Structures are given as structure tokens and as C-alpha cells.
Amino acid sequence: MAATLLSHVVSDLCIGRPRVLTLPPSTPVAAALRAGADPFVFVDAEPPAHRAKRGAAATVYVKVSVADVLCYVCGDAGNLRDPAAALGRPVSAVAAAVAGGHGVTHRVDPQTRLLDAIDVLLTDGCQGLLVPLHARARKRHHQVPSPAAVAATSSDCCVLTREDIVRHLFGSISHFSPVAALTVASLGLVRRDVHAVRVDDDGLDAIPLLRRAVSDGTAVAVVADDDALVGEICPGVLASCDVESVSAAFAALSAGDVMTYMDCSLTHTPPEFLLRAIRAQLKDRGLDAIAELMDTADPASLPSTPSSSTSSDEDSLSGRGRRPRRMLSGSFGWRSTEDVVACHSGSSLVAVMAQALAHRVGYVWVVDETSGTLVGVVRFADVLAVLREHLRPQSQVL
């Protein structure tokens, strides 16, 4: 077991992976969205004072997603009143909030040991690894290099997420016996501090929770009055929505209705009655500007309809073309907001990992087996910590 798994390096996970989009911090937010990739990474977004505290001698990389932009627009009253101005500002304005919430992506050498890369991912605030794709032939080494040693250009890089690492380890799950067969409750993996709103709560109430959910790799749970899990607001699903329209929905609708709007946006044009309700509510709240932006959204910024669609009828109904948004590994594809992944406290670790990987998410909700009440959540960050601890004795021998 040790001779194989412990010898893996991060370049082993990068074969066939797409390049991540890298943007300068001066890029306008709207232009970044039109680029059509989620997430995108851009450079040097963290204030110098923060870099000094981290002891970093080189460039800081921040991963920004559509959900981050949504939080930027909806999380500030001024941005909601003038969303066009907000989207015209440099993308560094979004990254400042992301980096403040521990959204930094660490750059590692392609020949970094997989176990060392896991240790980097488990550091506070790390959401991913930026790996150069052009240096796979370098001599292998067995330690994480200093930032200065890998301070090359960020072009031709890919991003590895916690999900990517867990998926790779799942291919060798038999080596994690007996831990893999233990329940998530016995392993202490059930986190009780979930981000949740009720169905009737204002959509804007979910924004602060969504910002934290993006940071810790989960989602915002939507629960009924009896705390039963009914759906979720997932950052990965938001990646398939256009920011202008979904921002209007969050500003006007309840959390439950936001779920409905997201589902309609992913499969077809939202019904006219829902659009009328959004416009009326925005007008009552003095947010006419965001309603106008929703109606005049740039067609190039809108995501494509699902690949199963065989006609352009939906596009003709709205009078707007849609440009495909290229989502990288770790994105969630076309999922309903009610298509939540849930387990019980007595579920085994291997079963929970299989569930999450099958649905391409980095977390699994934990519900009461009888009532369906939301109990907690299992995160891939914590799963990685358990798997890493299991490998620690073997890695010390080599």
C-alpha cells in the first residue's frame, strides 16, 4: 500500500485537466464573468499587510467563483442599488472579500508529494492547489517547495480541489481499512455548525451564509419549519446562473422561491409570473436598477442550457442567446436545488464518500433517519484530515 499510494505526486492528478483561467486584478467583474469559466483565478489580490503576516514572498492567488460575485453584489446595499457600477469595478474588489474569508489558492510544484499537498489543503483558508501543467518532467522531490522556488508564471496551470484529492484516494479505498467502514458519527465527522435558512426567510438572509459556505466547501441548507431538509443553495449550481438575474432573485424572493428560480433558470426560461413578482418586489424595495439590469443582461454572460436540450426554443422565448460556461473539476453540473445529497449518522465513511463523489459535491448533509431533520454536515476537508491521519504512520516509515 505505502509503496504505491505514498509515492504519488500532484502531477499524477493533473493529466487531462483543463487550464484554469487567470486574470489580472484590474479586470472588470463583468468582463471576468463574460470569460465563461468558473472558477477563475487571478493574481496578487491580497493586501501587502496580509501577505506579510502569511510570510509569503511571492504572488498570492485567489480563486473567485460566480457565487463569490453574487455575494459581492448582494452583500452590499450600495452594490444592490447600483449593480452596474459594482460589476464595472476591478475583480480585485471581489477578491479582497474572498481572501479575507480565507479563499486563497496555494501554488505547489507538480512533483510535490500527494501527502504534502493534502497538508497544504488542510491549512486554514486553503481552498485549492494551483499546479503548473508544464513541469511534469522535473525531478521528483519529497517536500513542499518554498514560494520562491515555484514563482513562475501562472499560465498553463490547473486547480486541484479537495474533491479531486478525495476522488483520487477513493480509488485506493481498500487501503484505508478499517477506517473506511466506520460510521461518520464515530469518526467525529458530523459537523453541527451548518449554514441553514428557512424556506420563508428572505433570500438576502442567505448571502452571509453563502459566503461562509463557499469558504468551507459546503452549501446553504434550506429547511422547513420543522427543520426538515428540503433543498439547498449550492455554489456549484450558481455557477450555471447569470449573476445579474440571480442577484435580482435573491434581492426580491424568499429562500424557497430563490431555489425555484434557480431550477427554472437551469432548465428553461423562468415563468413570466415569477419574473413579474421579482420586478414588483424590487420596485417596492427601491431596487429598480437591478431590475433593469436583469432585463438587459448581456447575452454573452448567460450560461448555456443543459446539454440534453435539442432545440433553441427556450432561447427564442427569452430573446437572448446563451454562452456556455466552462466549469472546471469540482463543479456540480446541472443539479436541481432539491437534489440534495444526504446520509445518516450511522452511514459508513466509504458510503458517504461514494455519495458525494457520485453527485460531484464536496459535502453530504446528515439528517435524522426518522424525521428527516437536518442534523449536520460531513465536509471533504474533514474527510481528508481523517484519511491523512490514517496514512501518517506509513509515511513516517518511508
Side-chain angles (χ1 to χ4, degrees):
M1 171 264 180
T4 302
L5 190 59
L6 298 182
S7 65
H8 290 181
V9 295
V10 293
S11 63
D12 296 332
L13 283 69
C14 296
I15 298 174
R17 300 185 64 83
R19 291 173 51 190
V20 68
L21 176 64
T22 305
L23 301 172
S26 59
T27 305
V29 176
L33 291 170
R34 285 196 297 270
D38 184 79
F40 51 83
V41 170
F42 69 95
V43 179
D44 200 21
E46 195 174 31
H50 290 188
R51 290 202 299 275
K53 290 180 181 178
R54 292 180 186 272
T59 306
V60 173
Y61 300 87
V62 179
K63 183 176 74 172
V64 179
S65 67
V66 169
D68 293 317
V69 178
L70 172 69
C71 292
Y72 160 72
V73 173
C74 292
D76 181 90
N79 289 345
L80 277 175
R81 285 192 295 269
D82 193 355
L87 295 175
R89 296 190 185 102
V91 74
S92 56
V94 180
V98 174
H102 307 292
V104 172
T105 298
H106 290 271
R107 182 178 176 123
V108 297
D109 188 275
Q111 301 305 319
T112 301
R113 287 198 317 169
L114 179 60
L115 296 186
D116 292 329
I118 294 174
D119 290 337
V120 174
L121 268 176
L122 293 177
T123 58
D124 183 38
C126 182
Q127 287 194 354
L129 303 175
L130 191 66
V131 186
L133 293 173
H134 59 278
R136 197 170 295 136
R138 290 181 190 167
K139 182 179 178 180
R140 295 189 175 192
H141 54 78
H142 298 285
Q143 68 277 344
V144 178
S146 66
V150 293
T153 176
S154 61
S155 61
D156 296 322
C157 292
C158 70
V159 168
L160 294 179
T161 65
R162 300 181 187 110
E163 179 190 333
D164 297 318
I165 305 296
V166 171
R167 187 179 299 277
H168 186 76
L169 296 178
F170 189 76
S172 304
I173 195 63
S174 61
H175 298 315
F176 292 91
S177 179
V179 172
L182 300 179
T183 67
V184 289
S186 67
L187 291 169
L189 289 173
V190 182
R191 281 185 170 260
R192 309 286 175 173
D193 53 338
V194 297
H195 311 302
V197 293
R198 298 196 182 279
V199 172
D200 295 329
D201 286 348
D202 196 282
L204 289 178
D205 292 340
I207 293 299
L209 301 177
L210 181 62
R211 194 186 298 275
R212 293 197 287 270
V214 171
S215 178
D216 62 24
T218 59
V220 178
V222 181
V223 299
D225 290 338
D226 60 355
D227 291 330
L229 180 64
V230 298
E232 66 181 8
I233 298 173
C234 172
V237 174
L238 285 169
S240 302
C241 301
D242 66 281
V243 169
E244 297 90 343
S245 296
V246 79
S247 296
F250 271 88
L253 302 176
S254 67
D257 287 338
V258 167
M259 290 171 51
T260 300
Y261 182 88
M262 290 170 60
D263 286 342
C264 290
S265 297
L266 295 180
T267 57
H268 51 78
T269 303
E272 185 58 34
F273 78 86
L274 190 57
L275 296 176
R276 285 199 301 268
I278 292 174
R279 294 188 189 99
Q281 190 65 253
L282 291 175
K283 183 176 181 180
D284 290 343
R285 297 185 179 186
L287 299 174
D288 301 78
I290 198 167
E292 294 174 4
L293 189 66
M294 177 183 70
D295 291 334
T296 60
D298 182 359
S301 71
L302 302 179
S304 65
T305 52
S307 57
S308 59
S309 175
T310 57
S311 73
S312 58
D313 291 344
E314 292 90 342
D315 293 339
S316 62
L317 286 173
S318 64
R320 299 181 294 186
R322 298 195 171 197
R323 177 181 178 179
R325 187 182 299 282
R326 176 173 63 86
M327 291 180 290
L328 305 181
S329 175
S331 58
F332 304 77
W334 302 99
R335 288 203 304 117
S336 166
T337 55
E338 296 181 1
D339 183 21
V340 295
V341 186
C343 68
H344 309 303
S345 297
S347 300
S348 66
L349 173 59
V350 64
V352 170
M353 291 172 64
Q355 271 186 288
L357 293 173
H359 288 79
R360 298 188 63 79
V361 294
Y363 58 92
V364 175
W365 301 111
V366 183
V367 298
D368 183 85
E369 193 167 0
T370 303
S371 65
T373 300
L374 180 62
V375 175
V377 67
V378 176
R379 309 183 313 164
F380 269 179
D382 300 320
V383 170
L384 271 179
V386 168
L387 298 180
R388 178 65 180 91
E389 190 62 29
H390 179 77
L391 293 174
R392 194 172 302 278
Q394 291 90 342
S395 64
Q396 292 173 346
V397 171
L398 295 182

